[in-house]
Amino acid sequence: MSNFLPINTILVSQGAEYKAVCRGLSGITGSIPTVVAIPVGMKPLLKYLQQGQFLAPKSRVLIMGLCGSLSDRHTVGDIVLYQDCIYQGKQEECDRTFTAQLHFCISEKVSLVKSLTSDRVIWSAAEKRRLGETLAADVVDMEGFTALEFFNASGVAVAILRVVSDDCQHNIPDLTSAINSDGSLNPFPLAMGMLRQPLAATRLIRGSLTALKVLEQVTNLLFSASQK
């Protein structure tokens, strides 16, 4: 197999994002990475990573999934490749060589970004724009910094490739209470959060479906390209 991107493992949030990546890999012949579903959120992810020694030093991990935009430059369906992640004034870098190779593979479709990791859902459009401006960050997620901090300390090369599922022009429902302490989603608070803000919920669902389709496509594109 001529996979010039020897990626050992893909980590992707459990649920719809995990399924989208698996669908993207389903038609690929030859060797594909192990896909691991991870919990949502910083603390659940750290606990999960500390429990499982499934990666050796010098291995390569690609983190995939969805993210929110903090900038007018990035809208729903845009593919972004992280340069680094910040959290409470600290910064962790993605592996530059690995990131550059991914960028080369899907160059015309992807933007290089700086990311903010948050320990809660950033649902308000006004807060997203404020965070984007004050922290000079382009996108937000809930796992990136934790993963980078953990793997960088272990000598594992990490790159992060995500798709924007919500923009910074509109609110999304505040679904913080729907995330359980173990990083799984609780269906009842999730449904209630959606029902309380039906317009925002409709927009989030539409944006997520668009982004999941792109996530599936970029997964397929990446591993099709790497096997030519």
Side-chain angles (χ1 to χ4, degrees), residues 7 104 140:
I7 297 167
F104 176 76
V140 60

Side-chain angles (χ1 to χ4, degrees), residues 146-220:
T146 301
L148 283 174
E149 189 174 46
F150 179 84
F151 288 122
N152 285 348
S154 319
V156 172
V158 180
I160 304 180
L161 183 68
R162 289 187 182 257
V163 180
V164 175
S165 60
D166 50 283
D167 62 29
C168 65
Q169 299 298 322
H170 306 95
N171 293 347
I172 59 171
D174 181 4
L175 301 176
T176 303
S177 62
I179 301 171
N180 295 324
S181 60
D182 65 355
S184 62
L185 288 174
N186 191 330
F188 184 69
L190 184 66
M192 292 308 293
M194 293 289 210
L195 288 170
R196 274 195 295 272
Q197 295 168 281
L199 265 178
T202 304
R203 197 175 286 115
L204 176 64
I205 291 165
R206 197 182 296 134
S208 297
L209 289 173
T210 298
L212 288 166
K213 190 72 192 158
V214 175
L215 183 62
E216 180 185 337
Q217 289 164 349
V218 74
T219 304
N220 189 273

Side-chain angles (χ1 to χ4, degrees), residues 1-208:
M1 170 195 163
S2 60
N3 185 346
F4 77 99
L5 284 172
I7 297 167
N8 306 82
T9 308
I10 295 174
L11 300 184
V12 56
S13 293
Q14 59 195 13
E17 294 166 70
Y18 172 77
K19 287 174 186 166
V21 168
C22 290
R23 281 196 304 273
L25 290 170
S26 63
I28 302 291
T29 54
S31 173
I32 57 171
T34 307
V35 186
V36 178
I38 57 172
V40 175
M42 300 183 74
K43 283 182 181 166
L45 177 59
L46 182 60
K47 190 174 174 186
Y48 176 82
L49 292 174
Q50 287 169 336
Q51 284 168 352
Q53 291 302 316
F54 54 87
L55 292 165
K58 305 291 181 210
S59 59
R60 283 178 148 202
V61 176
L62 177 60
I63 296 167
M64 300 185 78
L66 306 183
C67 62
S69 174
L70 301 178
S71 158
D72 290 332
R73 290 189 303 279
H74 307 291
T75 188
V76 172
D78 284 2
I79 303 165
V80 294
L81 188 57
Y82 288 17
Q83 294 173 300
D84 53 48
C85 273
I86 53 171
Y87 174 70
Q88 294 187 349
K90 294 182 287 185
Q91 183 180 40
E92 288 285 337
E93 302 262 338
C94 294
D95 185 88
R96 289 185 181 183
T97 306
F98 187 9
T99 301
Q101 287 170 336
L102 287 168
H103 191 242
F104 176 76
C105 233
I106 43 174
S107 55
E108 73 281 7
K109 293 186 168 68
V110 69
S111 304
L112 288 167
V113 296
K114 293 182 172 296
S115 172
L116 165 70
T117 297
S118 171
D119 50 16
R120 61 188 173 83
V121 175
I122 308 294
W123 59 270
S124 145
E127 186 180 12
K128 283 193 193 178
R129 290 195 297 271
R130 182 179 60 75
L131 286 168
E133 286 161 15
T134 54
L135 300 173
D138 303 293
V139 296
V140 60
D141 70 29
M142 296 180 69
E143 299 86 25
F145 182 88
T146 301
L148 283 174
E149 189 174 46
F150 179 84
F151 288 122
N152 285 348
S154 319
V156 172
V158 180
I160 304 180
L161 183 68
R162 289 187 182 257
V163 180
V164 175
S165 60
D166 50 283
D167 62 29
C168 65
Q169 299 298 322
H170 306 95
N171 293 347
I172 59 171
D174 181 4
L175 301 176
T176 303
S177 62
I179 301 171
N180 295 324
S181 60
D182 65 355
S184 62
L185 288 174
N186 191 330
F188 184 69
L190 184 66
M192 292 308 293
M194 293 289 210
L195 288 170
R196 274 195 295 272
Q197 295 168 281
L199 265 178
T202 304
R203 197 175 286 115
L204 176 64
I205 291 165
R206 197 182 296 134
S208 297

